[in-house]
């Protein structure tokens, strides 16, 4: 069939993503008329069953939302509750909380780079086949991931769904001597992380460009992860060295980010001031790249990402794998800095007495900005819970990216693309954004209807 004809592609289950989702793509007379990322997992109702719980319970409950990013949910929940109660966690406790978050960044981003995303660039259907040809690279990735897991175990009590985190800090904090073996492992991981940046920078990257707005946390002087204020970089900004960024106070988040239900997904779709937008690695690099750790900044320049200190922005979704590798190098280096400067706090947590109030917070999960809001009554019983995860925010931008990339291939030179080629392109386009739909991965089935 000519590529100017019509067809419908249905990808019933996307491979190598965290969770269960499908894709529906319709081409009418050579034009992509519809691209829907169909998230069909049933609703999980976390917000509903948080209501009526005590104000100390959200960190443990929300961590079960995701086995890949539990610390993101714990940290954001803690900060929202603490803000509602008028409490600030700072000093060594804040540093330990950031160190734990870096552990999650290291293990989660490394998992995506080596096991989920790299096979796309090297022509392999899975990490198993990739390991046969690139054993050293995969083993290097597993070493880095283990370093992140070790941070999680050391500070969180275990690598998945940590049990040592509580509102106000931790149940137990380590002595400096307990972190010495961890620092030794991280020094080795830092060399591995920089080598990973060099490795992925050598991949072949298709031409693509996302020109919409970015949303990421911003904390001047620091590559924001668990602090700062949400910030928006305007559509198309950064290509000429200018990086205009406007603050979006977290208290005003829901005035600007509006969620709506769509028929094809159980996830809510978000819009920022009426437009789709992107959060995640590309957004963070655009908003905060100038504040990367010096070793990570040098690695980014050498990898061809340009110099973020002069306002250069990466807008090619395929190159997001390089940005994630740079972020891993940054996280390892910063984790080492925290350990080297660590002095135990006087107590493992601060008191967070309840009061009738509402509090909200946002942090940077590996896959993008995560927002929580809680309201409680005088005895700390939650009366409201609101959670806006990164993948739901990115859904509309991913769908738009699919339309552009498929349309570009249909209009391009050469033989008309077949169903297998379009399927592979669509899966790659989705995996560029590392959607975290739940905690499992499935194989791909494809059905093509021709008109």
């Amino acid at each position: 069939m000519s590529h100017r004809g019509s067809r419908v592609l249905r990808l019933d289950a996307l491979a190598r993503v965290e969770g269960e989702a499908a894709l529906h793509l319709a081409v009418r007379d050579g034009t992509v008329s519809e691209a829907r990322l169909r998230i069909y997992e049933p609703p999980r109702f976390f917000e509903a069953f948080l209501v009526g719980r005590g104000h100390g319970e959200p960190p443990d409950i929300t961590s079960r939302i995701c086995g890949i990013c539990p610390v993101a949910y714990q940290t954001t929940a803690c900060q929202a509750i603490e803000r509602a109660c008028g409490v600030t966690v700072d000093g060594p406790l804040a540093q330990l909380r950031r160190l734990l978050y870096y552990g999650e960044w290291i293990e989660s981003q490394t998992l995506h780079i080596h096991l989920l995303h790299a096979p796309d660039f090297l022509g392999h259907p899975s990490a198993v086949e990739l390991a046969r040809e690139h054993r050293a690279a995969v083993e290097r990735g597993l070493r880095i991931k283990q370093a992140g897991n070790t941070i999680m175990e050391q500070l969180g009590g275990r690598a998945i769904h940590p049990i040592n985190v509580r509102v106000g800090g931790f149940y137990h904090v380590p002595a400096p001597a307990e972190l010495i073996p961890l620092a030794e492992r991280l020094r080795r991981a830092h060399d591995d992380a920089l080598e990973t940046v060099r490795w992925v920078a050598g991949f072949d990257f298709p031409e693509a460009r996302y020109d919409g707005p970015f949303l990421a946390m911003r904390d001047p002087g620091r590559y924001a992860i668990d602090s700062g204020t949400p910030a928006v970089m305007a559509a198309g900004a950064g290509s000429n060295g200018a990086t205009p960024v406007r603050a979006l106070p977290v208290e005003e988040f829901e005035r600007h980010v509006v969620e709506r239900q769509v028929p094809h997904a159980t996830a809510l779709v978000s819009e920022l001031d009426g437009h789709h937008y992107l959060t995640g690695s590309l957004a963070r690099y655009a908003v905060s790249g100038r504040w990367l750790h010096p070793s990570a900044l040098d690695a980014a320049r050498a990898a061809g990402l340009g110099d973020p200190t002069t306002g250069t922005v990466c807008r090619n979704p395929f190159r997001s794998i390089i940005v994630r590798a740079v972020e891993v190098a940054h996280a390892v280096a910063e984790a080492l800095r925290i350990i080297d400067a660590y002095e135990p706090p006087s107590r493992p947590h601060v008191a967070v007495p309840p009061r009738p109030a509402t509090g909200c917070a946002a942090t940077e999960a590996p896959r993008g900005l995560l927002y929580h809001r809680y309201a409680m009554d005088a005895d700390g019983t939650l009366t409201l819970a609101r959670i806006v995860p990164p993948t739901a925010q990115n859904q509309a931008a991913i769908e738009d990216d699919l339309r552009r990339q498929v349309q570009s291939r249909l209009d391009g030179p050469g033989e008309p693309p077949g169903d297998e080629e379009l399927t592979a392109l669509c899966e790659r386009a989705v995996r560029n954004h590392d959607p975290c739909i739940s905690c499992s991965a499935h194989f791909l089935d494809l059905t093509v209807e021709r008109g």
Side-chain angles (χ1 to χ4, degrees), residues 4 56 146 149 154 197 202 206 250 272-273 278 318 325 336 339 343 352 373 445:
R4 292 297 177 187
Q146 184 57 46
N149 286 347
Q154 182 83 52
V197 177
V250 70
L272 173 64
D273 296 327
L278 197 63
F318 287 100
L336 278 168
I339 292 173
E343 295 183 3
V352 185
R373 177 166 62 92
D445 290 319

Side-chain angles (χ1 to χ4, degrees), residues 8-223:
V8 176
L9 282 78
R10 291 193 179 95
L11 285 68
D12 292 331
L14 294 170
R16 284 187 279 121
V17 296
E18 289 88 353
E20 297 177 345
L23 176 68
H24 176 96
L25 183 76
V27 180
R28 308 295 182 194
D29 298 323
T31 299
V32 180
S33 59
E34 193 173 29
R36 298 200 306 259
L37 181 61
R38 187 167 64 88
I39 297 177
Y40 53 78
E41 290 191 7
R44 303 173 72 191
F45 305 116
F46 271 84
E47 292 162 310
F49 62 68
L50 279 165
V51 174
R53 298 280 186 164
H55 78 303
E57 295 187 69
D60 287 325
I61 293 175
T62 61
S63 76
R64 268 63 180 179
I65 290 174
C66 182
I68 304 296
C69 303
V71 174
Y73 285 92
Q74 289 183 319
T75 302
T76 315
C78 284
Q79 290 190 1
I81 294 294
E82 289 155 6
R83 287 180 180 175
C85 297
V87 173
T88 299
V89 174
D90 54 15
L93 284 175
Q95 292 297 311
L96 283 176
R97 186 176 277 178
R98 183 171 297 121
L99 177 59
L100 179 62
Y101 214 148
Y102 281 137
E104 179 165 278
W105 265 36
I106 293 165
E107 62 89 12
S108 178
Q109 299 279 55
T110 300
L111 167 69
H112 178 75
I113 291 165
H114 291 83
L115 303 186
L116 305 181
H117 207 185
D120 282 337
F121 296 94
L122 298 172
H124 296 286
S126 74
V128 175
E129 288 79 5
L130 177 68
R132 294 192 180 105
E133 185 176 334
H134 299 272
R135 183 184 180 94
V138 173
E139 288 180 343
R140 182 173 63 241
L142 293 175
R143 287 196 302 270
I144 302 170
K145 186 179 186 302
Q146 184 57 46
N149 286 347
T150 303
I151 296 176
M152 303 270 281
E153 292 163 0
Q154 182 83 52
L155 296 182
R158 61 188 185 191
I160 300 174
H161 304 318
I163 54 175
N164 190 37
V165 176
R166 58 167 292 167
V167 173
F170 297 87
Y171 291 101
H172 166 79
V173 295
E178 295 179 68
L179 299 181
I180 292 174
L182 176 57
E184 293 172 354
R185 183 186 288 271
L186 285 169
R187 289 187 181 94
R188 294 192 295 271
H190 189 238
D191 292 337
D192 284 336
L194 293 175
E195 181 57 34
T196 295
V197 177
R198 290 187 286 269
W199 179 56
V200 298
F203 292 170
D204 182 26
F205 298 101
E207 290 297 325
R209 183 174 175 84
Y210 166 78
D211 273 321
F214 286 128
L215 176 65
M217 298 297 288
R218 186 174 188 265
D219 189 5
R222 174 184 293 159
Y223 197 83

Side-chain angles (χ1 to χ4, degrees), residues 198-268:
R198 290 187 286 269
W199 179 56
V200 298
F203 292 170
D204 182 26
F205 298 101
E207 290 297 325
R209 183 174 175 84
Y210 166 78
D211 273 321
F214 286 128
L215 176 65
M217 298 297 288
R218 186 174 188 265
D219 189 5
R222 174 184 293 159
Y223 197 83
I225 172 171
D226 64 339
S227 61
T229 302
V232 179
M233 178 175 284
S239 58
N240 59 357
T243 53
V245 174
R246 65 178 174 91
L248 190 159
V250 70
E251 294 81 9
E252 299 178 10
F253 183 87
E254 292 177 64
R255 299 180 194 173
H256 297 272
V257 175
V258 177
E259 296 181 302
R260 59 183 174 85
Q261 184 69 60
V262 293
H264 60 274
T266 54
L268 298 173

Side-chain angles (χ1 to χ4, degrees), residues 285-350:
Y285 188 77
V287 170
S288 297
R290 68 187 61 202
W291 296 303
L292 283 163
H293 186 277
S295 63
L297 190 57
D298 288 343
R301 296 187 186 106
L305 290 177
D307 188 349
T309 65
T310 64
T312 302
V313 171
C314 176
R315 287 189 172 270
N316 184 340
F318 287 100
R319 290 182 177 268
S320 64
I321 192 171
I322 307 179
V323 179
R324 288 190 178 91
V326 168
E327 289 189 325
V328 171
H330 168 83
V332 174
E334 284 293 298
L336 278 168
R337 182 190 60 77
I338 291 173
I339 292 173
D340 289 343
Y342 175 62
E343 295 183 3
S346 59
R347 50 185 176 173
H349 60 268
V350 298

